[in-house]
Amino acid sequence: KRYSTSCHSGSVTVSGMSGKLILTQSSESANVIIWFDTAQNLMFSIHANVDESVIIAMAESVSLCNSTN
């Protein structure tokens, strides 16, 4: 079965890094924020059923730590 959900997308900046924010119009679909750390060659994403301000705050709270491996 194929589901169709209307959504709005736009460019965002997360901690100085460029990304995309995709907001759905359905409570059954998650909003998505994706951003890129080109210096470290990393992509981050969060999929959550939360408001725009909350998902942006979640993204802003992400930070890299040194691995012990």
Side-chain angles (χ1 to χ4, degrees):
K1 186 173 182 181
R2 189 174 210 185
Y3 296 94
S4 176
T5 303
S6 65
C7 61
H8 300 285
S9 66
S11 297
V12 293
T13 301
V14 177
S15 301
M17 296 172 271
S18 63
K20 287 279 188 191
L21 177 64
I22 303 165
L23 301 173
T24 66
Q25 299 296 310
S26 169
S27 61
E28 296 176 4
S29 298
N31 292 323
V32 179
I33 190 167
I34 302 167
W35 69 104
F36 305 91
D37 181 341
T38 55
Q40 299 290 327
N41 198 31
L42 297 171
M43 181 188 85
F44 300 91
S45 67
I46 298 173
H47 303 244
N49 289 339
V50 296
D51 293 333
E52 176 179 358
S53 61
V54 175
I55 200 167
I56 291 172
M58 291 169 68
E60 290 284 346
S61 74
V62 172
S63 64
L64 291 175
C65 61
N66 291 330
S67 174
T68 58
N69 294 337

